[in-house]
Structure formats: C-alpha cells, structure tokens
Amino acid sequence: MALPRIVSRSNNPLKPVSSFLSYTLPLHRSISTNDSPLTIETSLPFIAHNCDPPSRAVTTTSSELMSFFRDMTLMRRMELAADSLYKARLIRGFCHLYDGQEAVAVGMEAAITRKDAIITAYRDHCTFLSRGGTMHEVYSELMGRCDGCSKGKGGSMHFYRKENGFYGGHGIVGAQVPLGCGIALAQKYCKDENVTFAMYGDGAANQGQLFEALNMAALWDLPAILVCENNHYGMGTAAWKAAKSPAYYKRGDYVPGLKLDGMDALAVKQVCKFAKDHALKNGPIILEMDTYRYHGHSMSDPGSTYRTRDEISGVRLERDPIERIRKLLVSHDIATEKELKDMEKEIRKEVEEAIAKAKDSRRPDPFDLFTNVYVKGLGVEAYGTDRKEVRVTLP
C-alpha cells in the first residue's frame, strides 16, 4: 500500500501534543513533539461531477493523526466486542457493525462542529461515538439498559444525541434522508450557518424518497450534504447488480457530487470541509465515500456467501483505514510501533471496563414501555383483554 506523502512541514514553534491522549505514555517515549502543520496528499484523487474538486493536499498535525488512530482503533475494538456480546446473547435483535468504515466517521467529525447535524441509518454506533457519545452509553443501549443513549429502548439501530447534533439511528432504509433535508431546512430558516450530513448506504441509493428530498433541497438551496457510504453491498447484493448506474456521486444530475476514498480519513476530512462551504453558499451536494465493511450486513449475515474471504483480506491488507494512519505515524517519526501497541492495549482495557459497567446498569421497568410515546402529561390510552378502556396517567 502506497503511503500518502508529506508535501510540506511548516516551521512554526514547537507545541506539546501530550494533551490529546487519554492516558499517559511512558516518559522515555520518542513520540514527536512537533505539532506544527503537516500537508499530506490523499491516497487517491477526488472525482468530481458539476464542480471543481478540492486540493488533494490536506493540512493536518501530529496530534490530529494520533487522535485519528486512537479514535478509529477504539471504534474497531468497540465493534468487535459487540460481535462477541451478540454471540453471547447479551445483545439481542438487529445489530449492524461498522468495522472497516471508521475513517468516514472520524474524518467527517474533524471537518465540522457539533452545531452541524448528522443523521444516518442503522449502522450508527461509531457515528454516535464520534459525536461525543460514550462507550458506556453504547453498550448500555445495545444490552437494553437504562443508561443507554435511548434509555435501553432503541437498541442498535436507534442511537441518538440531539444535544451534539446527532439525530439517529434510523431503521427504515433511506427514510433518514428526507428527515435530514428537513433539518437543513430548519437550519436555513433559522439562519444558523450550519449544515446537515444525511448519510445512507449504496443499498438505499435507489430509494425514491431520496430523489424527492434532493429535488426539494436543490429547489430551496438547503445546506444539505447527502453522503453515500458505498460499501459495495446492499445486504448481500453487490452494487453493480442493484444499480444500473453505480456512480452514486452523479445521481443528483443537477446537484454537484464528489467521489473519494472513504478509507482515507484525511480525504474524508478534506471533502467534508469543502462540502460544508459549498452547501452554505450554493445548496446541496452529494458525496460518495468508497468504503468497505468487514462484517456482514448484520450479525445474522456471515458476510462470506456473496463475496470471497480473499476479497475481504485484500481490502484489509491494502486499504485498512487504521493501518494507513499507523504507517503515516511511524514513517514520519510521530510515534513508534511500540507506543501504538501500548495505546491499543489501553483501548482494550477501556472497552472491557465499559462493558462491565454497562452490565451493571439496571434494565428498564415494565412501566417504561409507556413513556416517551406521547407528549408528557397527556396520558396513555390502552385497552385490556375485555376491550374496556384503561386510562393511565403518566407521572
């Protein structure tokens, strides 16, 4: 795998970078203390439709690259642990894992603020984490506990954190895109100068509601950025079997689009910054993130009946987003292999502690089934087996 090359390093004064780590590395470590800006070229060029692409030269720092490595490694370990919990029957129902696609969540977050909104489908654990959620909330929700981000009642597909601009977590394929355009409409109406990223997979790209929402967003010049996470398989169907035109970034016709390597966190960051500026000035844009999921579609899918194991291992070897950042850190003397291995060990401990804490969280009371359904104070109407109405007043 070819490494992105450093184009330049500025001569700004040195700044310490230890503050970005959540734990203290050994004092004898050789990690670089030079946090001056680096300019690194993306792994692949951007492909544009009806617009000029941004520069491939991405400005970053040592601390940002280290945070990319840590955040993506944490996401990967979190998802692999969720796999084990599901197989142990501690997680029930649907569960869609994000391992392989971490660069999309991390790169996007690096380009925007928490005042910008993100709405996505059901593969949402890592996006929730990138928006400021905690692993305790993640595992509590997955195991149906009260400390979960949706109080244990949403499960894997319905994570939510409105205060940080994360609007879910949606189980109906493609339905989050019109909602995202509605959030963008509210942002424009309120003159917020913020944008909404409405994310969907290649499996949802043929949904009619997506094109209806895009048409309205274009008519009204809404600050909506439609992000197609193209992991090449809608459930078990390859993209080329489901779409006559799998060039999803061109699907907007009159709406500009960009295709990029979604396994390159720096490329994602660069394009999301470009897209935000574009959307605030000109209205909607489509981004196609060329990415890949290592797990099957969901935990019920082994992921190996419609693709070969060689294909999966080939992507891991050539395109893995974490390994790309690892090689950048080591080759440019920002960190050593041992330091990164030590960080991975600490992350394993963090995940184990979060799981243990979530297991101790209490389960919802039966009466909680009746909460968060109707507007508070209006009560609940229910019927018993004799069809006589029972009116329950909420506390």
Side-chain angles (χ1 to χ4, degrees), residues 206-310:
N206 299 315
Q207 286 275 320
Q209 58 188 325
L210 189 152
F211 294 95
E212 294 176 52
L214 182 62
N215 179 62
M216 295 173 72
L219 281 171
W220 298 336
D221 294 328
L222 301 184
I225 300 166
L226 275 62
V227 181
C228 177
E229 292 185 274
N230 180 8
N231 60 26
H232 299 276
Y233 295 95
M235 298 185 70
T237 303
W240 63 270
K241 291 183 179 180
K244 181 65 176 176
S245 172
Y248 300 109
Y249 69 104
K250 293 182 179 179
R251 288 287 193 89
D253 185 17
Y254 42 82
V255 173
L258 283 166
K259 181 177 180 178
L260 63 142
D261 183 357
M263 308 286 269
D264 181 347
L266 290 171
V268 175
K269 171 190 166 183
Q270 186 81 334
V271 166
C272 288
K273 285 180 66 176
F274 173 89
K276 179 176 178 177
D277 290 341
H278 172 94
L280 288 173
K281 296 173 184 174
N282 305 304
I285 185 171
I286 296 176
L287 307 181
E288 179 183 343
M289 309 277 189
D290 184 355
T291 185
Y292 198 82
R293 56 170 165 80
Y294 295 148
H295 264 83
H297 170 72
S298 67
M299 286 302 298
S300 62
D301 168 24
S304 57
T305 57
Y306 47 86
R307 57 184 183 174
T308 65
R309 295 191 183 278
D310 287 343

Side-chain angles (χ1 to χ4, degrees), residues 107-380:
M108 182 179 297
E109 196 63 40
I112 61 177
T113 74
R114 295 279 165 81
K115 291 184 178 180
D116 297 307
I118 297 178
I119 188 168
T120 190
Y122 36 75
R123 205 177 302 279
D124 58 354
H125 310 161
C126 294
T127 309
F128 171 79
L129 200 67
S130 72
R131 293 262 85 185
T134 67
M135 281 195 296
H136 176 60
E137 291 173 303
V138 169
Y139 286 123
S140 295
E141 189 62 40
L142 289 174
M143 290 190 278
R145 309 301 172 102
C146 288
D147 288 347
C149 59
S150 297
K151 300 183 180 179
K153 297 193 290 183
S156 172
M157 299 196 293
H158 301 290
F159 283 36
Y160 197 81
R161 197 178 187 86
K162 182 181 177 182
E163 62 269 28
N164 283 9
F166 182 57
Y167 290 86
H170 293 267
I172 305 301
V173 175
Q176 70 278 7
V177 177
L179 297 177
C181 290
I183 297 169
L185 173 61
Q187 289 169 328
K188 181 164 185 174
Y189 182 84
C190 295
K191 300 179 180 179
D192 285 342
E193 293 300 307
N194 298 312
V195 300
T196 295
F197 289 81
M199 305 172 71
Y200 58 98
D202 51 284
N206 299 315
Q207 286 275 320
Q209 58 188 325
L210 189 152
F211 294 95
E212 294 176 52
L214 182 62
N215 179 62
M216 295 173 72
L219 281 171
W220 298 336
D221 294 328
L222 301 184
I225 300 166
L226 275 62
V227 181
C228 177
E229 292 185 274
N230 180 8
N231 60 26
H232 299 276
Y233 295 95
M235 298 185 70
T237 303
W240 63 270
K241 291 183 179 180
K244 181 65 176 176
S245 172
Y248 300 109
Y249 69 104
K250 293 182 179 179
R251 288 287 193 89
D253 185 17
Y254 42 82
V255 173
L258 283 166
K259 181 177 180 178
L260 63 142
D261 183 357
M263 308 286 269
D264 181 347
L266 290 171
V268 175
K269 171 190 166 183
Q270 186 81 334
V271 166
C272 288
K273 285 180 66 176
F274 173 89
K276 179 176 178 177
D277 290 341
H278 172 94
L280 288 173
K281 296 173 184 174
N282 305 304
I285 185 171
I286 296 176
L287 307 181
E288 179 183 343
M289 309 277 189
D290 184 355
T291 185
Y292 198 82
R293 56 170 165 80
Y294 295 148
H295 264 83
H297 170 72
S298 67
M299 286 302 298
S300 62
D301 168 24
S304 57
T305 57
Y306 47 86
R307 57 184 183 174
T308 65
R309 295 191 183 278
D310 287 343
E311 177 185 308
I312 301 169
S313 60
V315 175
R316 284 184 181 274
L317 182 64
E318 297 293 331
R319 300 183 62 208
D320 186 82
I322 298 174
E323 293 307 309
R324 282 179 166 177
I325 297 297
R326 184 197 303 272
K327 290 182 179 181
L328 271 177
L329 291 169
V330 173
S331 64
H332 298 302
D333 298 322
I334 297 171
T336 66
E337 283 281 8
K338 183 181 184 306
E339 289 159 358
L340 299 180
K341 290 287 185 185
D342 289 343
M343 183 182 288
E344 289 172 315
K345 290 178 183 177
E346 290 292 332
I347 286 170
R348 282 177 180 265
K349 287 182 184 178
E350 288 181 37
V351 171
E352 290 169 2
E353 289 169 2
I355 292 171
K357 186 179 178 182
K359 286 179 179 178
D360 290 337
S361 176
R362 73 176 182 87
R363 297 182 185 276
D365 295 324
F367 184 77
D368 287 338
L369 285 170
F370 299 101
T371 62
N372 308 117
V373 178
Y374 297 100
V375 176
K376 189 173 182 180
L378 295 185
V380 176

